[in-house]
Amino acid sequence: MHRVVVTGTGVISALGNNTPSFWQSLISGVSGIQEMVNVDISQIRFKNAAQVRNYVPEDNFAARDIDVMDRFAQFAVLAAREAVAAAGIEWTPDLRETAAVVTGSCLGGRGTEEAGYWELFHNGKSRVHPYTIPLGMSNAGTSHISMQFGIEGPAYNLSTACASSAHAIGHAFWLVRSGVAPLAIAGGSEAPFFLGGLKAWEAMRVISKDTCRPFSAERSGLILGEGAAMLVLESLEAALARGACPLAEVVGFGMSADAGHITQPVAKGPARAMRLALRDANLTHEQIGYINAHGTATEANDRIETTAIRDAFGAHADKLAVSSTKSMHGHALGAAGALEAVASILSLKHGILPPTANFLTPDPACDLDIIPNQARAATVEACLSNSFAFGGLNATLAFKSLP
């Protein structure tokens, strides 16, 4: 069994199109939530979202590549490029043959599919784009990352709604820890801003009409986000042997299913995922100083997650710092867990805990230390990152700081 470390991260999000800008926005408490652009908001009851701004595909990809890459797949490759460059990976034939790519995306390229079907059903076209299937498939990000670096080892995508990229990182961690793969690129990507998808979210009545206020008494729902985040995972011995400087150690992964309701969460499943992550990491309650919460700002989720944290940690829950970075980068669905994993890793690395932005009034049902509005300097030994999905699928990652 190998110790597994993170040696590089890559991000594109509403908070910035690389890791440094993402991190600076997080610790500044800057929200990336604005009125939507490039969408006809006259047909939608909510107007705000956390979109990637100032992104021009032609600045990053050749025209022939753009033709076969949906926006979500472009995001995946851009984040992977940054992560690999930051890790300083030198690709040898053996490494290319054995490295892994594990991604998470719950929607894939549905925006491209919708555009094609609109032409078919409304504009009288008799055919769709010849690459509609490869553009739309959820594993397209995985495949394009694999092709970008010539990676021939295990490569797959997980689609477990809002837990997709947390599950992906956990699986990649297990691959590297067990020795199945010496290195893995893992994370998630999502691009959910197309009319049909937005109308579907509107119908669920869980979207806020103003902003995202996790754990606040005034919370009124989630705010959708988009983007991607990728991590480079490798064994500690390999990283040190090549002179890399690990950012943090991945020490545990827990997952569970509520086996209850398709949309309504319960506390038992999330609490079990946290306990399993602690067991997998061989960590005590007292070693955890921070939790990056799932924290969607819906009435049910925040209350249930508070109960789950108290169930999992008992009296130590009162000593935990907890925040939801969705208050700034929005809920990026299948990419959310990866964005939050990067936030957690950088919190350990820099000794700064990002805040829960947009917070107004404490909710007695969410009686945790939720780091309201301003980042907090804190030396934390280990932390958890929670991702809880529709369908009752839960994933918790455990990270530990390194000297």
Side-chain angles (χ1 to χ4, degrees):
M1 300 287 279
H2 301 278
R3 292 176 65 183
V4 179
V5 293
V6 180
T7 52
T9 64
V11 172
I12 179 167
S13 76
L15 298 183
N17 294 354
N18 54 53
T19 297
S21 58
F22 173 74
W23 175 243
Q24 189 57 49
S25 294
L26 278 181
I27 62 173
S28 299
V30 173
S31 175
I33 298 167
Q34 303 178 53
E35 187 170 291
M36 280 184 277
V37 296
N38 302 320
V39 176
D40 182 4
I41 58 176
S42 67
Q43 299 186 59
I44 307 166
R45 285 200 297 265
F46 58 92
K47 311 301 181 186
N48 296 334
Q51 292 177 294
V52 171
R53 306 278 174 151
N54 304 315
Y55 173 67
V56 180
E58 291 78 9
D59 290 345
N60 300 282
F61 298 96
R64 66 179 181 277
D65 295 325
I66 294 172
D67 284 344
V68 295
M69 295 178 72
D70 181 85
R71 183 177 174 91
F72 97 98
Q74 295 174 34
F75 288 166
V77 171
L78 287 178
R81 284 178 184 170
E82 184 191 2
V84 168
I89 301 300
E90 295 183 7
W91 295 103
T92 64
D94 182 63
L95 184 57
R96 284 193 167 99
E97 189 174 88
T98 54
V101 182
V102 189
T103 65
S105 181
C106 61
L107 297 180
R110 287 189 191 170
T112 294
E113 290 181 349
E114 179 180 276
Y117 299 152
W118 184 272
E119 291 295 314
L120 187 67
F121 298 139
H122 293 274
N123 294 337
K125 297 293 179 66
S126 61
R127 62 192 297 269
V128 296
H129 193 289
Y131 282 105
T132 296
I133 296 299
L135 280 161
M137 61 191 188
S138 294
N139 64 290
T142 321
S143 299
H144 284 290
I145 292 170
S146 170
M147 292 184 288
Q148 175 90 135
F149 301 107
I151 296 171
E152 300 175 337
Y156 54 98
N157 181 77
L158 294 168
S159 185
T160 51
C162 307
S164 297
S165 55
H167 276 123
I169 293 168
H171 275 243
F173 159 59
W174 282 349
L175 287 175
V176 176
R177 185 173 67 175
S178 66
V180 170
L183 177 147
I185 298 171
S189 62
E190 211 76 87
F193 294 107
F194 52 95
L195 182 60
L198 294 172
K199 292 297 286 185
W201 279 104
E202 178 185 89
M204 289 205 73
R205 301 182 183 274
V206 294
I207 306 293
S208 172
K209 292 183 179 180
D210 57 357
T211 195
C212 181
R213 304 185 191 278
F215 303 109
S216 178
E218 297 83 359
R219 67 189 183 276
S220 56
L222 61 87
I223 290 286
L224 291 171
E226 68 174 344
M230 295 291 163
L231 316 178
V232 171
L233 309 181
E234 56 185 309
S235 70
L236 175 62
E237 59 267 33
L240 296 179
R242 66 182 186 83
C245 296
L247 302 172
E249 184 174 3
V250 191
V251 289
F253 175 48
M255 52 184 172
S256 68
D258 291 351
H261 192 276
I262 196 68
T263 59
Q264 296 300 314
V266 296
K268 181 180 178 181
R272 186 163 182 263
M274 285 183 270
R275 291 192 186 98
L276 290 171
L278 292 174
R279 182 190 304 172
D280 191 44
N282 196 27
L283 291 172
T284 66
H285 292 164
E286 290 70 27
Q287 288 176 281
I288 303 296
Y290 170 64
I291 295 178
N292 188 297
H294 185 56
T296 60
T298 62
E299 178 65 28
N301 176 87
D302 293 0
R303 174 173 43 82
I304 291 296
E305 187 167 11
T306 299
T307 301
I309 290 171
R310 290 199 168 278
D311 285 352
F313 282 90
H316 186 63
D318 290 325
K319 299 178 182 179
L320 286 169
V322 179
S323 69
S324 171
T325 52
K326 286 185 178 73
S327 59
M328 294 175 276
H329 56 66
H331 192 342
L333 307 178
L339 290 168
E340 291 152 18
V342 172
S344 300
I345 289 161
L346 296 179
S347 297
L348 295 178
K349 176 68 175 177
H350 297 293
I352 305 174
L353 306 181
T356 302
N358 310 314
F359 188 82
L360 296 176
T361 307
D363 180 350
C366 302
D367 57 344
L368 299 168
D369 175 11
I370 52 81
I371 317 179
N373 298 320
Q374 293 187 336
R376 179 183 301 169
T379 300
V380 172
E381 180 182 358
C383 71
L384 300 183
S385 181
N386 285 336
S387 296
F388 309 138
F390 277 166
L393 307 183
N394 311 298
T396 297
L397 295 162
F399 301 100
K400 193 173 182 182
S401 61
L402 289 168

